[in-house]
Amino acid sequence: MEPSRATTRRHLSTSPFKPRVPAPIKTFEEGDRVSHDKEGMGTISAVEGTHAVVVDLGGGKLLRVLSPFDKLHTL
């Protein structure tokens, strides 16, 4: 028995199911006002490429959020 290959599945045009559409990658800039689902509102204080951002929540509390930014929303 041969092992299965790790490939992406192709979508058949006759399939009744919709193809998966990748979610767009959120981008942030320093100074953007954001809302975190658990921590509340804050301001982006640093952007570390496309994989992490640092959010200043006020009162000296900083939060580093990793990509994907599911719990982080722009205001």
Side-chain angles (χ1 to χ4, degrees):
M1 190 167 160
E2 294 180 26
S4 63
R5 293 185 222 169
T7 60
T8 57
R9 295 181 181 215
R10 67 184 176 126
H11 177 71
L12 300 175
S13 60
T14 57
S15 174
F17 303 102
K18 293 181 180 180
R20 287 188 182 171
V21 178
I25 298 173
K26 293 183 182 178
T27 58
F28 299 99
E29 295 179 7
E30 289 185 27
D32 285 352
R33 300 272 301 154
V34 293
S35 173
H36 188 272
D37 289 347
K38 287 185 178 181
E39 302 294 332
M41 292 178 32
T43 305
I44 301 291
S45 62
V47 178
E48 300 172 4
T50 58
H51 63 278
V53 295
V54 178
V55 181
D56 181 7
L57 298 170
K61 185 174 180 184
L62 297 176
L63 175 69
R64 186 169 185 252
V65 182
L66 301 175
S67 176
F69 308 107
D70 294 335
K71 296 183 179 185
L72 201 60
H73 308 284
T74 310
L75 297 178

